[in-house]
C-alpha cells in the first residue's frame, strides 16, 4: 500500500460492505463506495486485497483477551543499554500512533 492508502485504511474494519469483507471487484462495483475511495485503493494488488479485506480487528483485540496471544513480557537483552534503547524506540512508536 502507498503511504496515502495506509493513512486511510481502516485497520479494524478492512474492506467491507454491510459488515462483510468483499472481493476487490465487489468493492469497486458497489454504489456504497465513493469514487474517491475507489480511486485511492485502485492500485492495491489482488493478493494484498485478500490479506487486507477482513481487517485486523479481531486479531489485534485477541492479545487483550487471550493471555497466550500477548507479547512475552520476559524479554531478555544482551546488554542493559539495549533495553533502554528498545524502550525508547517502543515509546516513540506508541507516540507516533
Amino acid at each position: 500500500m502507498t503511504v496515502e492508502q495506509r493513512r486511510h485504511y481502516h485497520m479494524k474494519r478492512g474492506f467491507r460492505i454491510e459488515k462483510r469483507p468483499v472481493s476487490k471487484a465487489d468493492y469497486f462495483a458497489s454504489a456504497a463506495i465513493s469514487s474517491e475511495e475507489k480511486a485511492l485503493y485502485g492500485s492495491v494488488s489482488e493478493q494484498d486485497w485478500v490479506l487486507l479485506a477482513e481487517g485486523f480487528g479481531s486479531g489485534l483485540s485477541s492479545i487483550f483477551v487471550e493471555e497466550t496471544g500477548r507479547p512475552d513480557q520476559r524479554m531478555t537483552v544482551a546488554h542493559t543499554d539495549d533495553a533502554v534503547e528498545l524502550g525508547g524506540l517502543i515509546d516513540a512508536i506508541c507516540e507516533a500512533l
Side-chain angles (χ1 to χ4, degrees):
M1 293 178 83
T2 66
V3 171
E4 194 67 18
Q5 288 168 334
R6 289 192 305 265
R7 271 192 201 128
H8 294 282
Y9 172 71
H10 195 293
M11 286 183 61
K12 184 175 181 181
R13 184 181 61 219
F15 296 117
R16 294 175 181 257
I17 298 173
E18 297 179 9
K19 299 183 180 182
R20 301 183 299 112
V22 294
S23 69
K24 187 175 180 180
D26 289 344
Y27 192 83
F28 283 88
S30 174
I33 306 301
S34 70
S35 58
E36 293 85 6
E37 199 166 334
K38 290 176 183 178
L40 176 63
Y41 296 117
S43 66
V44 174
S45 72
E46 290 288 338
Q47 293 165 321
D48 288 343
W49 192 276
V50 171
L51 297 172
L52 297 168
E54 288 201 36
F56 303 101
S58 61
L60 287 177
S61 65
S62 69
I63 67 170
F64 298 103
V65 177
E66 301 170 23
E67 208 168 314
T68 57
R70 295 180 188 161
D72 188 356
Q73 298 296 316
R74 297 165 289 145
M75 180 181 65
T76 59
V77 291
H79 192 273
T80 55
D81 290 344
D82 294 342
V84 172
E85 183 179 355
L86 185 57
L89 177 62
I90 291 170
D91 289 343
I93 291 169
C94 289
E95 288 175 16
L97 297 175

